[in-house]
Amino acid sequence: MGLTAYRCRLLLLPVGIVLSALTLVVPSSAIAQDAEVGSAIDEKRADVGSDLEPLDPDKPLTDFPDFGVDWPDLDEPISDSSEQQDPVKDSARELELDRRLAEEEVVEIAEGDGDEDLDVGGTVNFQPADALAERDYEFYFTGLPAELDTIFSERFKALSALEQYKGEEANFAQIKRRAETDRELVERLLRIEGYYDAIVRNRFAAGKGKAVAVTVAVVAGPQYKLDEVNLVGVEKAEGDDPQQFSNAFGLQSGDVVNSDAIVQARAKLDRDMAESGYAFAETEEPELVIDHADRAGDLAIVVTPREKYVFGSILMQNSALFGSDHAELIARFEQGDVYKQSDVEDLRRALIATGLVSTVTLEPVASETDPGAVDIAANVTPAPLRTISGAIGYGTGEGLRSEVSWEHRNFFPPEGLIRLTGVLATQEQSGSITYRRNNFRRRDNVLNGRVALSNIDNSAFEARTFAVSANLERQSNLIFQKKWNWSAGIELLASQERDINGDNQTTSRETFFIGALPATLAYDGSDDLLDPTTGFRLSARLSPEASLQSGSFFYARSQIDGSAYYPVSEKIILAGRARFGSIVGAGSNRIAPSRRLYSGGGGSVRGFGFQRIGPRDVNNDPAGGRSLVEFSLEARVRLDFFGGNFGVVPFLDAGNVYTETLPDFSGLRFGTGLGLRYYSDFGPIRVDVGTPINPQEGDSRIAVYVSLGQAF
């Protein structure tokens, strides 16, 4: 009865609307007769009085022949009469129907003990016995397109509610809410990949034990393709640039509608215009119109190239550190070169690398003197120019060491550094003054000068030395890692050193006056200065030297170093190193002990003391030699503990020193051990503990080394 009454109310509603419409079209002349009509109705009601029958809701309704439409049969099922519809609406209706049907196919399985194989297509609703009980859950994906790359997984893991609270127990209602949030997330992520018709639904089942198994089921549907791609306004660029920019943009009709690809294409377009002289070019936000009927999209981006420029001057707003002429020396561009944003960014990094500034802002501005040029307005914030630093440490075989230094990085503008250094250690006492001028006459050239006075007393030799040196170099730094590095210079030394007399094996002190012209050339093909993981390095050093001691004579010291790095996996790097050294032109007894070749220590053969490998004198102290060989092999293993910031490094080193000019590879000394690495933001901190496998007499069984950066 209640259902019949509801249907009646639904069917009477149109009748009321029709009657109201009829009332609205009554002629205005009838309004004047309202009073007479109302009076007649009152009289009629009085005549009828109590003869009116009571309303019977079950009585058949009276026909209205004027309407020409029969009353519908309330017991007859309602039929769908949509025989002629718009095909686009038809497609949308079918899509929605498919979606509803897919959602109706989701069947939640009754709770079990978790040991049996569950039928996802079962018909029993899943409902835990205790819906408020907290339990674990596990979740899976099914139906994801094979074409999805890793960024989909990365984004889902970063934004997923299920992933965020994974491992934390929750009641069933909380799990369902998280799953629903992730279902919407997956739909959004699939739209980014061009799957605009994707159907995503959740399935819940009993997992192992009391856990809930959540399955995110995906029906991806077709991947939409681009129909029209319009770069509106790009034709205003000069010459062949419009075609170049279209090629740089890359996207064209038939490509997948991928939001990431659109963002990347716009960035490529911006970058290509900025690299082609268009300093003030702009692109508006992409407009994408999706056509669900054709499963396609139209993409339009408004491009405003503006004028094409060349470089003008560099305008320094703060010239206290250095002026525009020095900034132009540092820049890799000259006035008249086509404007490139990458050159501006390179200048910004180079200014930071000077160490004189903390922040740099570079802005292109239209030149006031040259209409076709753009000036670079540079605004720098000075960094603290004076630094006091100190260090203290201990090394096996070297003892305690403390060092303090003071420096002023712009004592002689521009970029003229002065550094005062003092060392107080168990085996060394020294003081030095260093002069360093960066970007000397040319970008990346560094001029160095040094005056030092030292007293060294270690197991290999004793030397009291006064040294003056200078060189010009081009070396890598933490901001710019260069492929090619070189240096060339001069050294002048006066040194009084302890030596063993070869005739009677007695100890004596002799004074040496030495002049040297050291030069190095190195190639760095590795991927990182402090923590390389792939590539190789090669370097060669040659130092022709003249010695004035009991007459004058000449000799040459040379050394070749090579290292290689091979990634076995994301967390394991194999690294190897080899070194060969030689001195030709003089015998060991004529060469000053401080200029001979030694091996052993943290940067050499670990496990042995500093300079402890090789020939020994009558006191069992290292005597040095004229040739050496060294080899190292280690595995750098990154650990997952503590956020992946720690690693272990098992290593094996070998080497020896010989009295002959060329090594014969005999009597190699082997050291092995284990290192610990802490990977900080500025590079790995190294702690190596080694032991000699075949020690010589007097060698310690354990050696410890600490430094910044890998061993090689």
Side-chain angles (χ1 to χ4, degrees), residues 381-564:
T381 302
L385 300 180
R386 301 172 180 82
T387 300
I388 298 177
S389 61
I392 187 169
Y394 174 82
T396 303
E398 299 176 76
L400 290 171
R401 176 185 174 87
S402 61
E403 178 179 325
V404 62
S405 65
W406 173 91
E407 71 177 27
H408 190 303
R409 286 180 290 280
N410 205 37
F411 193 85
F412 298 104
E415 297 192 72
L417 173 146
I418 288 293
R419 180 186 296 120
L420 307 179
T421 303
V423 175
L424 182 62
T426 304
Q427 299 181 0
E428 178 185 356
Q429 301 80 44
S430 66
S432 64
I433 301 175
T434 300
Y435 169 79
R436 180 182 180 93
R437 184 179 289 278
N438 292 320
N439 299 304
F440 175 70
R441 295 184 177 273
R442 184 173 176 234
R443 164 77 175 265
D444 294 332
N445 284 354
V446 181
L447 178 65
N448 296 293
R450 186 171 183 266
V451 177
L453 183 65
S454 65
N455 177 45
I456 298 176
D457 183 4
N458 56 36
S459 59
F461 58 85
E462 295 178 13
R464 299 168 183 170
T465 305
F466 175 75
V468 178
S469 62
N471 75 323
L472 185 66
E473 67 177 11
R474 175 187 173 91
Q475 302 290 341
S476 293
N477 54 51
L478 294 178
I479 296 180
F480 293 103
Q481 182 179 357
K482 302 175 179 65
K483 292 292 184 182
W484 290 98
N485 300 269
W486 55 265
S487 69
I490 184 172
E491 291 180 339
L492 299 175
L493 300 92
S495 182
Q496 186 183 73
E497 303 187 10
R498 173 183 59 82
D499 196 8
I500 300 296
N501 189 302
D503 297 328
N504 53 23
Q505 295 294 301
T506 58
T507 301
S508 63
R509 287 188 176 273
E510 297 187 47
T511 301
F512 298 84
F513 297 96
I514 301 171
L517 298 173
T520 61
L521 178 64
Y523 176 80
D524 187 350
S526 67
D527 62 335
D528 190 87
L529 189 64
L530 295 178
D531 187 20
T533 61
T534 185
F536 67 95
R537 296 171 178 170
L538 286 174
S539 67
R541 176 183 172 86
L542 178 64
S543 178
E545 300 185 5
S547 178
L548 300 176
Q549 181 263 336
S550 300
S552 62
F553 61 94
F554 299 89
Y555 60 92
R557 304 168 73 238
S558 61
Q559 181 174 299
I560 297 176
D561 290 88
S563 58

Side-chain angles (χ1 to χ4, degrees), residues 8 74 114 127 160 163 218 240 248 251 262 270 353 408 412 434 437 467 496 508 517 527-528 538 551 582 607:
C8 289
L74 300 182
Q127 183 61 43
S160 166
E163 185 73 32
V218 177
D240 297 331
L251 294 181
I262 294 173
D270 286 336
H408 190 303
F412 298 104
T434 300
R437 184 179 289 278
Q496 186 183 73
S508 63
L517 298 173
D527 62 335
D528 190 87
L538 286 174
S582 177

Side-chain angles (χ1 to χ4, degrees), residues 629-645:
V629 292
E630 292 177 355
F631 305 96
S632 296
L633 182 65
E634 64 184 31
R636 301 169 182 173
V637 183
R638 198 80 173 248
L639 302 176
D640 292 328
F641 308 114
F642 306 105
N645 291 328

Side-chain angles (χ1 to χ4, degrees), residues 8-50:
C8 289
R9 286 194 295 271
L10 285 178
L11 295 171
L12 287 173
L13 180 59
V15 177
I17 296 176
V18 172
L19 294 177
S20 300
L22 292 175
T23 304
L24 291 175
V25 299
V26 172
S28 58
S29 59
I31 299 177
Q33 302 174 3
D34 281 350
E36 297 179 1
V37 173
S39 177
I41 291 176
D42 291 339
E43 292 178 0
K44 181 64 176 177
R45 287 178 177 174
D47 293 340
V48 174
S50 60

Side-chain angles (χ1 to χ4, degrees), residues 149-334:
D149 54 20
T150 56
I151 193 170
F152 178 90
S153 299
E154 294 171 357
R155 285 170 172 166
F156 179 81
K157 290 180 180 179
L159 302 174
S160 166
L162 290 172
E163 185 73 32
Q164 179 182 357
Y165 298 102
K166 188 176 181 180
E168 298 181 14
E169 293 185 345
N171 60 48
F172 186 59
Q174 291 173 321
I175 295 174
K176 291 186 70 174
R177 283 197 298 270
R178 296 173 190 174
E180 176 60 21
T181 300
D182 281 5
R183 184 191 67 78
E184 298 174 354
L185 171 63
V186 172
E187 285 185 343
R188 294 198 302 271
L189 295 180
L190 288 174
R191 284 196 294 272
I192 293 176
E193 303 283 346
Y195 296 96
Y196 286 87
D197 291 342
I199 302 171
V200 183
R201 55 193 186 273
N202 295 326
R203 293 174 178 173
F204 302 89
K208 295 181 180 180
K210 295 298 183 182
V212 176
V214 182
T215 301
V216 182
V218 177
V219 179
Q223 202 169 16
Y224 281 37
K225 302 297 180 64
L226 288 173
D227 185 11
E228 294 185 3
V229 178
N230 294 319
L231 299 179
V232 183
V234 71
E235 68 280 357
K236 296 179 181 179
E238 297 181 11
D240 297 331
D241 290 343
Q243 184 61 46
Q244 173 187 330
F245 297 155
S246 297
N247 295 338
F249 184 73
L251 294 181
Q252 55 187 349
S253 178
D255 290 341
V256 171
V257 180
N258 185 295
S259 299
D260 290 334
I262 294 173
V263 172
Q264 293 170 6
R266 182 193 180 195
K268 291 178 183 177
L269 177 59
D270 286 336
R271 183 166 57 251
D272 202 67
M273 289 192 296
E275 288 295 290
S276 303
Y278 296 87
F280 305 107
E282 292 182 352
T283 58
E284 297 185 6
E285 290 292 331
E287 294 184 1
L288 180 63
V289 179
I290 295 298
D291 185 346
H292 289 277
D294 293 336
R295 293 181 170 87
D298 293 337
L299 176 64
I301 297 181
V302 177
V303 181
T304 307
R306 295 193 172 90
E307 299 297 326
K308 189 172 183 176
Y309 293 93
V310 297
F311 278 112
S313 302
I314 298 178
L315 309 177
M316 295 294 298
Q317 299 182 19
N318 183 356
S319 58
L321 299 174
F322 47 80
S324 299
D325 55 343
H326 189 66
E328 291 175 354
L329 175 70
I330 295 175
R332 295 192 187 277
F333 58 85
E334 297 180 356

